[in-house]
């Protein structure tokens, strides 16, 4: 496919893989609950404005959605959660965090779902396994779909939550998108795969993308399924070659630009 390449300074309004790990969208490349391991999750809003963040977990075989929800982070707020195995060999997400989510997370947690790949949901089955074991490893993403306007009802709701779990957040499912303004960066994340009995701890930082979209990615009255990386609106990718040249690569769609910042012609290991 043809694409246009331009040498020079990096462009504003372009998808960039952040060298500092802070951006508008975060990709956590791996989670697992196999072999008695848990995965610990953390995301922080380092900015001075609140964020509406689409959280989406995907199983590792075909990237099908196993759990998604909207997380609200006030300025300089952090949210944490843990992924653990269930008795039926699936995955459960639990949290004791007081940050707001659009649908409250119950104290017993939420089990990952199979509807996106077993043929019982709106997405057709893909021919792969349909049991909960398929959800036991994969990856996940967090996308800032909009910043919260100061003084808006949603901004007030997430700031006034009681310091208890589960939090009681009065957020209107149908209208919270009206309280959003164009998304900016400022979030970063970490994860760790832990086996307490064995004393192992494998930690990593999430890959951060800046410039994914310039406009609000949630729509009033229809927050689900929520924004995905496929909804990226900026179709230019800022990349740096191994010899230090900056390139601005223009693609037909935004998701092509997202893919481009992860491309390499050589991998050393």
């Amino acid at each position: 496919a043809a694409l246009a390449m331009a040498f020079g300074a990096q462009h504003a309004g372009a998808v960039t893989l952040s060298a500092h790990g802070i951006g508008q969208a975060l990709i956590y490349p791996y989670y697992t609950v196999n072999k008695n391991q848990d995965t610990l999750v953390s995301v922080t809003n380092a900015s001075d404005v609140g964020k509406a963040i689409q959280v989406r977990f995907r199983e590792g075989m075909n990237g099908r959605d196993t759990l998604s929800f909207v997380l609200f982070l006030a300025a300089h707020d952090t949210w944490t959660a843990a992924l653990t195995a269930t008795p039926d060999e699936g995955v459960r997400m639990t949290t004791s965090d007081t940050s707001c989510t659009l649908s409250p997370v119950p104290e017993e947690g939420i089990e990952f779902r199979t509807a996106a790949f077993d043929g019982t949901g709106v997405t057709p089955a893909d021919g792969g396994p349909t049991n909960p074991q398929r959800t036991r490893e994969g990856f996940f993403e967090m996308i800032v779909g909009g910043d919260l306007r100061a003084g808006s009802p949603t901004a007030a709701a997430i700031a006034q939550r009681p310091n208890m779990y589960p939090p009681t957040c009065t957020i209107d499912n149908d209208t919270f998108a009206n309280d959003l303004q164009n998304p900016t960066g400022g979030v970063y994340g970490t994860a760790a795969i832990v086996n307490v009995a064995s004393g192992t701890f494998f930690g990593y930082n999430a890959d951060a993308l800046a410039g994914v979209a310039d406009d609000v990615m949630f729509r009033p009255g229809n927050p689900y399924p929520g924004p995905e990386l496929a909804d990226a609106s900026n179709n230019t990718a800022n990349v740096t070659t191994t010899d230090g040249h900056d390139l601005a690569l223009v693609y037909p769609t935004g998701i092509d630009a997202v893919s481009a910042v992860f491309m390499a012609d050589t991998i050393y290991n």
Side-chain angles (χ1 to χ4, degrees), residues 125-161:
D126 59 8
T130 59
N131 51 39
Q133 289 93 322
R134 179 168 164 177
T135 68
R136 289 175 65 86
E137 65 178 357
F139 63 100
F140 55 105
E141 60 203 27
M142 301 192 188
I143 304 170
V144 177
D147 290 0
L148 292 170
R149 286 188 294 103
S152 65
T154 305
I158 69 172
Q160 296 173 0
R161 70 184 190 277

Side-chain angles (χ1 to χ4, degrees), residues 5-11 237-241 243-249:
M5 282 193 281
F7 288 87
Q10 293 190 338
H11 291 195
N238 281 334
V239 301
T240 303
T241 65
D243 58 0
H245 289 102
D246 291 332
L247 299 178
L249 309 178

Side-chain angles (χ1 to χ4, degrees), residues 30-52:
Y30 189 61
Y31 76 81
T32 185
V33 297
N34 287 327
K35 298 184 178 181
N36 299 312
Q37 298 178 116
D38 301 329
T39 299
L40 309 181
V41 180
S42 171
V43 58
T44 297
N45 175 14
S47 75
D48 295 327
V49 296
K51 308 282 185 181

Side-chain angles (χ1 to χ4, degrees), residues 71-220:
L71 167 68
F72 298 94
L73 285 183
H76 307 289
D77 189 14
T78 296
W79 179 81
T80 60
L83 307 181
T84 57
T86 63
D88 64 352
E89 298 188 356
V91 180
R92 176 181 285 111
M93 186 200 78
T94 57
T95 180
S96 58
D97 199 288
T98 60
S99 298
C100 296
T101 54
L102 192 57
S103 299
V105 178
E107 291 189 69
E108 66 273 17
I110 302 176
E111 290 194 21
F112 281 19
R113 299 181 282 263
T114 61
F117 57 79
D118 66 6
T120 63
V122 297
T123 306
D126 59 8
T130 59
N131 51 39
Q133 289 93 322
R134 179 168 164 177
T135 68
R136 289 175 65 86
E137 65 178 357
F139 63 100
F140 55 105
E141 60 203 27
M142 301 192 188
I143 304 170
V144 177
D147 290 0
L148 292 170
R149 286 188 294 103
S152 65
T154 305
I158 69 172
Q160 296 173 0
R161 70 184 190 277
N163 189 24
M164 59 179 292
Y165 186 83
T168 53
C169 306
T170 54
I171 299 173
D172 192 308
N173 178 78
D174 295 323
T175 61
F176 86 87
N178 293 321
D179 295 340
L180 300 180
Q181 57 191 9
N182 293 344
T184 58
V187 297
Y188 65 89
T190 64
I193 298 167
V194 181
N195 186 320
V196 175
S198 300
T200 57
F201 183 99
F202 303 100
Y204 68 84
N205 296 325
D207 293 325
L209 298 174
V212 172
D214 296 327
D215 300 317
V216 174
M217 301 176 75
F218 290 100
R219 295 292 175 263

